[in-house]
Amino acid sequence: MKLLKYSNSKLHNQLIFSIPANLDICGRSCPSCYAMKFQRLYPNVLPYRQARYEASLQPDFTDRIIQEITSCKKPIAAVRIHESGEFYSQQYITSWATIASSLPHIRFYAFTKRLADFDFTPLSSLPNFTLINSL
């Protein structure tokens, strides 16, 4: 199973990593959350997002993501972390920092509502990573 999907109708030439949007992962329940509404409308996406979340807990997660990005044959403008979902632990943030620092020629970005919950310095200090506060 691939962990990254390539683009969507709005994001051209981008790889996207998504996990479920729920209280356990996001740390909050937002009434206007687009990702949660999408999961209710299209419940078939939830198993794929859940599988990616479970993959993110595995010790080979960083290696798998790096391998998928480096082997992508299509042009990559950026990697978007969390079309749905959220940063859920400090270790998960560290994993993405390892990935982004290993690929300095690739631009990464993510939106988060959890700036107060974790130390995002490992990500925000990277020149190829843009972290956007969406709260």
Side-chain angles (χ1 to χ4, degrees), residues 10 14 28 51-52 55 60 69 93-94 100 102-103 107 122 124:
K10 295 179 184 178
Q14 293 190 29
R28 72 186 69 219
R52 284 166 178 82
D60 66 343
I69 293 170
I93 291 166
T94 301
S102 298
L103 301 164
R107 186 171 62 93
S124 60

Side-chain angles (χ1 to χ4, degrees), residues 92-107:
Y92 182 61
I93 291 166
T94 301
S95 294
W96 279 108
T98 300
I99 293 163
S101 64
S102 298
L103 301 164
H105 60 288
I106 302 288
R107 186 171 62 93

Side-chain angles (χ1 to χ4, degrees), residues 16-89:
I16 302 166
F17 182 79
S18 294
I19 58 178
N22 61 41
L23 181 61
D24 292 336
I25 290 173
C26 298
R28 72 186 69 219
S29 180
C30 303
S32 62
C33 178
Y34 176 80
M36 290 182 86
K37 286 179 188 176
F38 189 83
Q39 288 171 182
R40 282 192 298 273
L41 282 170
Y42 304 99
N44 59 324
V45 303
L46 199 50
Y48 297 104
R49 290 178 178 175
Q50 185 64 35
R52 284 166 178 82
Y53 167 70
E54 290 168 12
S56 75
L57 298 170
Q58 300 305 309
D60 66 343
F61 174 67
T62 57
D63 293 335
R64 287 184 67 190
I65 294 287
I66 291 167
Q67 193 279 327
E68 279 191 42
I69 293 170
T70 57
S71 66
C72 186
K73 294 182 181 7
K74 297 177 182 179
I76 302 171
V79 175
R80 178 178 179 178
I81 304 167
H82 304 142
E83 182 179 54
S84 70
E86 179 61 273
F87 292 100
Y88 59 84
S89 73

